[in-house]
Amino acid sequence: MHKLLFGTAGIPASTRKPSTESGIAQVRALGLDCMELEFVHTVTISKEKAPLIKRVAQDNDVVLTCHGPYYINLNALEKQKREASKQRMISASRRAWECGAWSIAFHLGFYLGKDKATVYGTIKQELNEVTKVLHDEGVGITLRAETTGKPTQFGDLDELLHIAQETSVMPCIDFAHLHARTNGKVNTYDEFTDVLTKVEVKLGKDGLRNMHIHLAGIAYSIKGERNHLNLKDSDMNYESISKAWNDFGIAGTVICESPNSEEDALLLKKTYTG
Ligand SMILES: [Zn+2]
């Protein structure tokens, strides 16, 4: 990517007669540039409809991303559950690719009380199986492992940068989750630049020029994420994040997951472009 794009998680609330197609057109009408397809509960777009979504996105010059299903645990104890998780990842990735999406984010699993190194090994092995199937089929979408909002969930920044070095799965950096997971840290300019410096050290300039980012206001406790909030109702220091993004010259997509997604996406775009 050559610049940073801003958009909504799902169809903008202001879309009249909501559908994926009209949502994409509304993203463009609002002056935003990207939209995330929400496959979080189920894959919501049929195989037959996917080419139309791809064309509408191209016609409107809107980049599509996707959020994969929540019901995934690549570290589940039962083999059957791990297999079902992989199948959900594969199906969602295929369909998102058919819709022309460039990136798809997943929460990969839970530690379930096991030590982090063991969990890392298990998840990496399962992920490699998923990426092999998709690669063999020619599905070219970038898979992303998202930084998660609770300390019980696999996916701190270091784990995901390590995964990205060892597999083809890139990170989706959810700054609200990093903030919530650490019970209020990762909220100053220096902490944000530390995150971006780590990305650059581990993944190079390419890592900074191909970012899939999530941001929202967020409520949290010692146990991590509670719920998303609008940015102005939260303590999320979005002005400093925006400055860090500018100073590092990053590119990619910023998907706003606030309850008022389009308003906060526009606020972020305005803050970023100045
Ligand atoms: Zn997520």
Side-chain angles (χ1 to χ4, degrees):
M1 291 244 175
H2 56 282
K3 59 187 263 197
L4 197 57
L5 308 177
F6 292 84
T8 55
I11 299 162
S14 56
T15 310
R16 270 186 271 167
K17 297 190 182 167
S19 68
T20 305
E21 310 90 283
S22 54
I24 292 167
Q26 181 66 2
V27 161
R28 175 50 55 217
L30 286 164
L32 294 168
D33 306 290
C34 55
M35 187 179 102
E36 190 142 289
L37 304 170
E38 297 292 337
F39 290 177
V40 295
H41 298 297
T42 180
V43 173
T44 50
I45 298 170
S46 68
K47 188 171 180 61
E48 294 67 37
K49 200 172 174 190
L52 169 68
I53 302 304
K54 183 174 182 172
R55 197 169 66 241
V56 172
Q58 281 169 347
D59 289 349
N60 284 281
D61 193 20
V62 168
V63 170
L64 295 178
T65 59
C66 184
H67 198 307
Y70 285 141
Y71 305 108
I72 284 166
N73 186 2
L74 294 182
N75 185 46
L77 295 176
E78 304 86 345
K79 186 172 172 28
Q80 208 183 341
K81 284 192 187 166
R82 295 200 302 275
E83 291 303 320
S85 294
K86 285 187 282 185
Q87 283 312 317
R88 284 190 199 102
M89 290 180 75
I90 290 166
S91 306
S93 302
R94 268 187 201 128
R95 189 59 44 77
W97 175 245
E98 288 161 3
C99 291
W102 80 287
S103 176
I104 181 167
F106 295 96
H107 310 174
L108 295 182
F110 294 83
Y111 299 112
L112 304 177
K114 292 192 188 170
D115 74 275
K116 289 183 104 172
T118 308
V119 175
Y120 178 89
T122 305
I123 286 187
K124 183 181 137 187
Q125 189 180 340
E126 299 292 1
L127 262 185
N128 277 333
E129 290 180 24
V130 171
T131 53
K132 181 172 189 323
V133 170
L134 293 169
H135 181 262
D136 290 351
E137 287 180 15
V139 175
I141 195 166
T142 302
L143 263 63
R144 306 261 177 176
E146 182 176 326
T147 54
T148 47
K150 291 186 176 154
T152 51
Q153 289 175 292
F154 176 83
D156 66 24
L157 182 64
D158 291 334
E159 284 167 333
L160 301 188
L161 291 175
H162 195 193
I163 284 269
Q165 288 179 300
E166 296 197 318
T167 72
S168 59
V169 177
M170 293 281 282
C172 169
I173 298 190
D174 186 318
F175 280 92
H177 281 167
L178 289 178
H179 179 46
R181 177 181 183 100
T182 55
N183 194 24
K185 297 199 182 91
V186 197
N187 204 29
T188 63
Y189 177 79
D190 287 349
E191 287 168 312
F192 297 137
T193 59
D194 283 350
V195 170
L196 297 176
T197 301
K198 272 189 182 179
V199 172
E200 184 168 6
V201 167
K202 303 280 184 183
L203 309 179
K205 289 271 182 224
D206 265 8
L208 289 179
R209 302 294 289 174
N210 282 291
M211 296 196 76
H212 182 168
I213 287 170
H214 286 163
L215 186 58
I218 196 156
Y220 53 87
S221 70
I222 186 79
K223 292 179 177 168
E225 170 180 24
R226 285 175 61 195
N227 54 277
H228 286 177
L229 298 170
N230 295 332
L231 285 169
K232 287 192 167 162
D233 298 332
S234 77
D235 68 356
M236 196 81 230
N237 186 358
Y238 62 90
E239 286 110 334
S240 292
I241 298 188
S242 184
K243 180 166 172 20
W245 291 342
N246 262 309
D247 292 348
F248 276 71
I250 70 166
T253 52
V254 175
I255 297 296
C256 181
E257 293 186 320
S258 298
N260 70 353
S261 186
E262 64 225 72
E263 286 162 45
D264 273 359
L266 286 165
L267 172 65
L268 287 172
K269 182 171 179 177
K270 193 164 161 247
T271 307
Y272 176 78
T273 50

